[in-house]
Amino acid sequence: MKRQAKRLILSFCALGLLSNSYIALADTTSDTETLLNWAEKTFPQFFKSKQATQSIEPWLYRFYPETGIYAGVNLTDNNVYTLGGPWGNNPALIDSLSNLIAQINNSGGNGNIASCDTTNTIPGITYSQSGNVITVTSNGQCVTAPEQNATNLCPIPKQTTPTGISILSTNTVTRSQISGITASIPGLLDPFLNLISASSNAKHCTVNAPNENTNLIVNSDLCFDITTQLSDLIGVIEGITVNPPITLSTAGTYTSQIVSDCFTTDAATITDAVTGDLWVKENGSFVKK
């Protein structure tokens, strides 16, 4: 009996060690993504394109074919190395992963995403990127809904020179559910649900977008608290009961396509990646804000 109990305790200890090892690896993987995304954004002369992270034991790395440069983390010592280009044909030690992450955080740098400007990100929403695929999530929590004209989940970082490329981003909603309101009359909520659906499917167009963003895919899984926006509007309508909070859970995928002129599209908003100008469609026409 004692021997069986001892084996059971050892088994739990082993599971605990495995769990801790997994957590440590997950943290290293996340930090590696943060570092390499930051490097792509900060040093485009070396890391010219958005690349997915690859794994070959003991390395997590990205390869940049335009410059022939490898950048990655050795999981054995958790140090960061580069290879190729100005660093030569042997792995060059840059620094430890923890030191570089600390430097990024202390400098106010945003290493979470390379292709989106997350300066004005809604609190509670996080971004991650692997190659040309971006994931935007509220991590299972409901966050305050954005302003009506803040429909672009991935604003392109400010560009220094015009590219002449216009990109229309379209969202395909795969899940949409509203909670916190009920109606005693069938169809009474349809106008409000249709309005929410239209907002979720809003299109955005970017003028002077960088070429590498033309094939960008943005997957979203979000929950918004829309109590403030809807309570006063529908709370006084007979037959509708409000049980706050009113939340909207939605998931979807943004895809992009090149268009000749943003102002002839059915986009809800337009931005210029060089000037930062914003236009919002009002009564069928784009109005500069």
Side-chain angles (χ1 to χ4, degrees):
M1 182 68 179
K2 289 183 178 179
R3 183 175 299 176
Q4 290 177 337
K6 184 176 181 180
R7 287 180 179 175
L8 184 60
I9 292 171
L10 290 174
S11 296
F12 277 116
C13 289
L15 288 173
L17 289 172
L18 286 173
S19 176
N20 289 335
S21 298
Y22 176 80
I23 292 171
L25 178 59
D27 289 342
T28 300
T29 301
S30 176
D31 285 347
T32 300
E33 290 295 307
T34 296
L35 173 67
L36 296 178
N37 286 339
W38 174 84
E40 289 177 357
K41 188 175 181 180
T42 308
F43 302 105
Q45 68 271 34
F46 301 123
F47 315 112
K48 289 183 176 293
S49 57
K50 308 298 183 294
Q51 297 296 325
T53 302
Q54 303 179 57
S55 176
I56 296 179
E57 189 66 30
W59 296 95
L60 291 174
Y61 71 96
R62 293 182 187 177
F63 174 63
Y64 299 89
E66 301 91 344
T67 55
I69 293 174
Y70 291 83
V73 174
N74 187 305
L75 298 178
T76 302
D77 59 14
N78 272 0
N79 286 331
V80 178
Y81 297 83
T82 51
L83 172 70
W87 290 281
N89 297 324
N90 295 309
L93 173 63
I94 304 301
D95 202 339
S96 69
L97 178 61
S98 59
N99 282 347
L100 290 174
I101 291 297
Q103 291 176 34
I104 292 172
N105 292 335
N106 291 336
S107 68
N110 179 6
N112 290 330
I113 196 72
S115 296
C116 303
D117 181 0
T118 58
T119 304
N120 298 314
T121 298
I122 301 169
I125 289 182
T126 60
Y127 288 72
S128 60
Q129 179 173 357
S130 180
N132 70 318
V133 179
I134 292 171
T135 301
V136 187
T137 177
S138 58
N139 299 298
Q141 303 299 313
C142 293
V143 301
T144 303
E147 297 295 329
Q148 187 175 0
N149 60 1
T151 57
N152 185 12
L153 286 177
C154 181
I156 293 175
K158 185 174 177 59
Q159 304 296 299
T160 56
T161 57
T163 64
I165 299 174
S166 295
I167 297 177
L168 179 66
S169 299
T170 303
N171 187 35
T172 301
V173 176
T174 57
R175 187 191 75 244
S176 183
Q177 180 179 0
I178 189 169
S179 303
I181 53 175
T182 56
S184 59
I185 303 174
L188 189 60
L189 289 175
D190 287 353
F192 305 103
L193 297 178
N194 291 338
L195 180 63
I196 292 170
S197 178
S199 177
S200 299
N201 283 290
K203 298 180 181 180
H204 178 79
C205 200
T206 302
V207 180
N208 290 318
N211 183 64
E212 58 265 28
N213 281 56
T214 57
N215 65 342
L216 208 60
I217 297 172
V218 182
N219 295 321
S220 64
D221 188 353
L222 303 166
C223 181
F224 294 114
D225 187 329
I226 55 176
T227 306
T228 301
Q229 289 86 340
L230 290 188
S231 287
D232 294 339
L233 181 63
I234 65 178
V236 296
I237 299 177
E238 186 176 352
I240 292 181
T241 302
V242 177
N243 299 299
I246 304 173
T247 61
L248 171 67
S249 297
T250 179
T253 298
Y254 269 90
T255 54
S256 300
Q257 66 180 99
I258 296 177
V259 295
S260 58
D261 184 0
C262 281
F263 291 91
T264 62
T265 68
D266 57 347
T269 54
I270 298 174
T271 55
D272 188 316
V274 173
T275 65
D277 291 335
L278 168 69
W279 293 265
V280 177
K281 181 168 283 188
E282 297 178 356
N283 299 319
S285 300
F286 288 105
V287 178
K288 189 174 181 179
K289 296 298 182 178

